[in-house]
Amino acid sequence: MIPFLDLKAQYHSIKPEIDAAVTKVLESSQFALGEEVAAFEREFASYVGAAEAVGVNSGTSALHLALLAAGVGPGDEVITVPFTFVATVAAVCYTGARTVFVDVDPRALTLDVTNLERAITPRTKVIMPVHLYGQPADMDPIMEVARRRRLVVIEDAAQAHGAEYKGRRAGSIGDLGCFSFYPGKNLGAYGEGGMVVTSNADHARTIRMLRDWGQDRRYHHVLKGFNYRLEGIQGAILRVKLRRLEEWTESRRRHAARYNELLAGSPVRTPEAMAYARHVYHIYAVRSADRDGLQKSLQGAGVQTGVHYPIPVHLQPAYADLGYKAGDFPHSEAAAREVLSLPMFAELTSSQLEAVAAAVGEGIHAV
Ligand SMILES: Cc1ncc(COP(=O)(O)O)c(C=O)c1O
């Protein structure tokens, strides 16, 4: 059996440090926010290359608060892509604003800038590119359009810890960047967690208040806030794991290069790393015309895979009210039919990589 992800293997490789970090929080009893969260915020801001980082209880909360800090509310429009995890769109919904989709680029699977300007209306406030699978969207032309049209850019970097666009870290390029620390992410907590990074001091201050009931001091509520605080234990765990992130990222990149080599010449399409990107391979997704058949045959061979994501958000029943229909975003719809995510985690061994690639080859011939 080759798992899609092996969180236990990673824990065992850092167990003494993690156990000590958790014990320290238990002894301090700083369970919600506290010193470990504050230290992690400073370290993560510095890692990303932003002035500030604000820890919250999920990536979804990070997006929600980033949108609120940008002033988004009912009557506004936010532009993003339909080929993403549903949370990107849910966060827009929470603010009362409307999501306007533009399709993805068929190679990069991130926001296609050629479609961007015609989606802008007088109601547009924010452009929210998604750095899908760990590869940044093409940010220069997005920033150019945003600056010219006076729009805010919020990066959904939930899958892109340590990814780079022309040498700059994902999350530090737009006005605000949002990360998820869901356990399976490249930098994952042992529970839920998220972060907003920004170099705008006003935005950071607003988000710090909003995550903690809108208080500027205890029981003095100047904004209608939320209970979106990051837990002390997660902050302490994430500090330990951040020190390993570069090493783990390089392992992922080596694994991806090996998969590319082993699968070259096979009928599956391997993922394209764009010239501007340092891709961090949160997901390594191949494409196949018979994705479901291939997945079944890999399952039979003991290889666990995933599909990220089988239905683009504009075709999800929950978002039917946005008024889109099948055929509106052909590149997103094709990707949703064809992508298959292969096992990808730092601790994968070379024999596991070879076994997965061999099973893909056999699976293709069988289907
Ligand atoms: C692209 C994207 N956006 C947002 C989120 C939401 O993050 P979370 O699950 O931490 O709320 C996720 C992860 O699940 C994601 O993959």
Side-chain angles (χ1 to χ4, degrees):
M1 232 308 267
I2 302 176
F4 179 66
L5 182 67
D6 189 348
L7 294 178
K8 271 191 206 158
Q10 192 192 59
Y11 170 56
H12 286 291
S13 74
I14 50 174
K15 183 172 163 32
E17 285 169 84
I18 291 284
D19 292 359
V22 170
T23 302
K24 194 173 152 198
V25 177
L26 297 178
E27 294 292 348
S28 79
S29 294
Q30 291 190 336
F31 295 120
L33 300 178
E35 279 167 31
E36 290 295 317
V37 168
F40 176 56
E41 288 176 343
R42 288 191 296 274
E43 290 159 8
F44 194 73
S46 146
Y47 175 77
V48 170
E52 295 200 56
V54 186
V56 292
N57 62 348
S58 73
T60 309
S61 301
L63 291 168
H64 184 194
L65 297 191
L67 287 160
L68 292 179
V72 172
D76 295 329
E77 292 177 355
V78 174
I79 296 177
T80 191
V81 289
F83 193 53
T84 182
F85 182 59
V86 70
T88 313
V89 182
V92 175
C93 240
Y94 298 166
T95 68
R98 180 188 154 76
T99 301
V100 172
F101 290 122
V102 302
D103 207 354
V104 294
D105 175 271
R107 290 171 56 215
L109 300 183
T110 50
L111 195 147
D112 184 352
V113 187
T114 58
N115 293 324
L116 181 57
E117 284 218 74
R118 74 182 84 119
I120 297 174
T121 76
R123 284 194 280 271
T124 308
K125 266 232 169 104
V126 166
I127 306 170
M128 195 152 67
V130 179
H131 303 324
L132 197 76
Y133 298 163
Q135 169 153 261
D138 191 2
M139 290 303 291
D140 275 351
I142 293 173
M143 294 307 294
E144 189 280 316
V145 171
R147 293 297 173 247
R148 190 158 37 77
R149 307 291 292 260
R150 298 185 185 285
L151 303 173
V152 174
V153 174
I154 298 176
E155 297 173 64
D156 183 340
Q159 304 186 358
H161 318 72
E164 290 173 18
Y165 176 79
K166 299 184 181 174
R168 291 173 68 193
R169 288 245 158 97
S172 72
I173 302 158
D175 300 282
L176 299 126
C178 299
F179 291 86
S180 163
F181 304 124
Y182 184 74
K185 293 292 194 282
N186 288 22
L187 180 60
Y190 288 169
E192 305 277 350
M195 188 77 93
V196 184
V197 300
T198 183
S199 292
N200 179 317
D202 290 335
H203 288 338
R205 186 168 176 277
T206 302
I207 293 167
R208 274 183 209 289
M209 288 196 284
L210 286 174
R211 75 168 167 186
D212 191 17
W213 292 118
Q215 321 180 73
D216 64 351
R217 62 201 128 95
R218 205 151 199 218
Y219 303 132
H220 189 88
H221 304 275
V222 295
L223 296 172
K224 291 193 179 76
F226 303 84
N227 176 358
Y228 281 178
R229 296 176 297 246
L230 181 60
E231 294 185 347
I233 286 177
Q234 305 310 337
I237 288 166
L238 288 162
R239 287 186 77 193
V240 171
K241 294 182 74 171
L242 180 58
R243 295 198 280 272
R244 302 292 179 95
L245 181 58
E246 278 304 291
E247 179 195 316
W248 289 332
T249 299
E250 281 309 312
S251 297
R252 285 175 179 274
R253 287 171 50 78
R254 275 195 305 276
H255 298 338
R258 184 70 180 133
Y259 269 145
N260 288 345
E261 223 171 73
L262 292 165
L263 294 172
S266 89
V268 297
R269 222 168 112 190
T270 54
E272 284 193 54
M274 308 308 282
Y276 51 68
R278 181 199 193 206
H279 195 323
V280 297
Y281 295 99
H282 171 57
I283 300 283
Y284 181 94
V286 296
R287 293 180 69 161
S288 162
D290 185 10
R291 186 265 316 281
D292 294 342
L294 179 59
Q295 183 173 38
K296 215 175 268 166
S297 108
L298 286 172
Q299 181 72 26
V303 176
Q304 249 183 21
T305 57
V307 174
H308 304 89
Y309 300 91
I311 305 172
V313 183
H314 71 288
L315 300 180
Q316 293 285 1
Y319 295 95
D321 60 336
L322 292 174
Y324 294 104
K325 58 181 190 318
D328 284 347
F329 304 106
H331 299 311
S332 293
E333 292 167 29
R337 278 193 303 273
E338 295 174 6
V339 290
L340 184 67
S341 313
L342 302 185
M344 175 52 80
F345 50 94
E347 297 76 13
L348 264 177
T349 64
S350 45
S351 56
Q352 284 176 318
L353 284 161
E354 284 160 20
V356 173
V360 170
E362 282 161 28
I364 287 289
H365 292 302
V367 297

